[in-house]
Amino acid sequence: KEVYSTSCDLITPMKATPGRLEITTTHIYFWETLEMRAKEDVHRAPKDRKWRLDQLREIHQRRYLLRRSSLEFFLVDQTNAFFNFKRDRSKVFSKLVDLRPPNLIYSETGTAEEIFKRSGLTKKWQLGQISNFDYLMQINTIAGRTYNDLSQYPVFPWVLSNFSSEEIDLRDPRNYRDLSRPIGALNPERLKEYLKRYSDMKGGEMGVPPFHYGSHYSNSGTVVFYLLRVEPFTSLFIDLQSGKFDIADRLFHNIEDTWNNCLTNPSDVKELIPEFFYFPEFLTNSNKFYFGKTKGGIGAQVDDVI
């Protein structure tokens, strides 16, 4: 029996697929708009999807393109789906909660700060009940970050600061980055420049609100920069670069160089992505893409990340 139906977009890293979300007493359905499929490839199978209601574990309210208009569903099998609605997100949310899915354990409302305070995550982490990785991932989730939207991709910090030694002693605090400061404030000399720029802009003469950093610690460009060697991010990177790979020197090919650039370049304050801590394969050029050579073609060929 149908409970509610509305138009929406299914959001994935590759695209937003228009369609309709249909909620019944037993399932959630997504039906792709036929007109959209006809524009792209009339012969391909529709991207219709179906989820059993008793598999729904969490419902998170999300933003998409800076609008509070989305929901993300997390399922018992560890998969998820992200939907953007034109106007009736709250109605979809309430209809699903009212159906009382048997495995639904999370349907919080409120600001991220309020939800985090109620979660008790920090206490669990301090007691060793959850790992560092799980703690950071859950903070990212509460903050609205998701693998389904590259502009809101999960963020992980640079942890180590020594990438030049053959071996490092993990008990030596000198090998670690200062986590009490954002990456833009780690280099004292560069920080002075940021503070000066902010001070100079305070008068408003430039017509722009004052800011410290001209870039962000995470954006879609950062994600595809790191995941260049793994599809579908390879294709996304090529799309971002107008149909080709970037100049070899600007590609991600050396962790130490990237770290040093994040410390010294005034326009580079990017942090890391979760894959650094569980998916080392993304550093390997398994697909044998040709990325070119550094130093204008006379240097080393870019291949695996070193």
Side-chain angles (χ1 to χ4, degrees):
K1 178 184 175 182
E2 182 179 311
V3 175
Y4 192 70
S5 177
T6 185
S7 60
C8 67
D9 291 335
L10 174 64
I11 308 299
T12 65
M14 293 294 288
K15 63 187 296 185
T17 302
R20 290 194 68 79
L21 189 77
E22 181 181 307
I23 302 170
T24 73
T25 53
T26 58
H27 288 82
I28 302 170
Y29 298 90
F30 174 78
W31 310 108
E32 182 186 3
T33 303
L34 295 179
E35 291 80 4
M36 184 64 187
R37 182 159 61 97
K39 288 180 183 178
E40 294 182 346
D41 182 1
V42 70
H43 300 295
R44 74 165 170 80
K47 296 179 180 178
D48 300 336
R49 298 179 66 181
K50 177 176 73 172
W51 302 268
R52 282 169 37 195
L53 203 61
D54 62 7
Q55 294 297 296
L56 188 61
R57 191 187 76 220
E58 300 179 18
I59 309 173
H60 290 261
Q61 300 189 52
R62 294 284 187 245
R63 292 190 301 178
Y64 182 66
L65 299 178
L66 303 180
R67 295 178 60 247
R68 299 183 185 280
S69 57
S70 305
L71 293 174
E72 188 168 24
F73 303 156
F74 290 83
L75 306 174
V76 172
D77 64 1
Q78 305 299 314
T79 59
N80 57 55
F82 188 105
F83 299 96
N84 185 52
F85 302 91
K86 290 182 174 62
R87 55 185 172 274
D88 46 3
R89 176 185 76 166
S90 58
K91 186 166 286 189
V92 173
F93 182 85
S94 61
K95 291 289 184 183
L96 285 169
V97 173
D98 289 345
L99 285 170
R100 298 181 180 276
N103 289 309
L104 184 65
I105 61 172
Y106 183 99
S107 56
E108 293 270 8
T109 58
T111 66
E113 292 83 0
E114 292 168 346
I115 294 171
F116 178 68
K117 285 180 181 178
R118 295 196 298 263
S119 71
L121 279 175
T122 300
K123 190 68 174 178
K124 293 178 183 177
W125 173 61
Q126 291 171 332
L127 293 173
Q129 296 173 356
I130 57 176
S131 67
N132 293 342
F133 183 87
D134 288 336
Y135 180 57
L136 291 176
M137 279 304 302
Q138 291 190 54
I139 290 175
N140 271 280
T141 299
I142 291 174
R145 294 194 166 272
T146 169
Y147 285 107
N148 289 305
D149 183 359
L150 297 185
S151 67
Q152 303 180 101
Y153 207 77
V155 180
F156 267 56
W158 290 92
V159 177
L160 297 174
S161 62
N162 182 355
F163 296 96
S164 57
S165 302
E166 288 291 326
E167 295 183 2
I168 60 173
D169 183 358
L170 294 179
R171 296 167 297 183
D172 186 346
R174 292 174 298 179
N175 288 321
Y176 291 90
R177 166 257 185 99
D178 181 359
L179 287 168
S180 69
R181 291 171 171 261
I183 196 162
L186 293 179
N187 181 336
E189 293 304 314
R190 186 174 65 166
L191 179 58
K192 289 178 184 177
E193 295 300 316
Y194 288 144
L195 294 172
K196 181 179 183 303
R197 175 167 62 188
Y198 187 90
S199 178
D200 291 344
M201 295 178 71
K202 264 189 171 179
E205 296 177 3
M206 299 173 66
V208 178
F211 60 86
H212 291 103
Y213 314 125
S215 61
H216 203 258
Y217 56 81
S218 176
N219 54 43
S220 55
T222 297
V223 178
V224 297
F225 170 80
Y226 285 133
L227 295 176
L228 166 67
R229 292 161 177 80
V230 184
E231 287 287 11
F233 303 98
T234 307
S235 297
L236 289 168
F237 186 94
I238 291 172
D239 287 344
L240 195 65
Q241 295 294 330
S242 303
K244 60 183 184 301
F245 290 119
D246 198 1
I247 297 170
D249 295 88
R250 293 203 293 248
L251 299 177
F252 178 45
H253 63 277
N254 184 296
I255 293 178
E256 182 182 3
D257 287 352
T258 302
W259 164 249
N260 289 333
N261 199 61
C262 291
L263 283 183
T264 58
N265 189 326
S267 61
D268 189 355
V269 292
K270 59 178 171 285
E271 294 282 3
L272 300 181
I273 54 176
E275 283 81 354
F276 273 89
F277 299 89
Y278 71 86
F279 183 51
E281 291 81 2
F282 85 95
L283 301 169
T284 304
N285 185 19
S286 302
N287 293 311
K288 301 302 177 184
F289 295 115
Y290 180 71
F291 298 120
K293 296 182 178 181
T294 59
K295 300 179 181 177
I298 62 173
Q301 182 171 320
V302 174
D303 192 32
D304 298 340
V305 178
I306 58 175

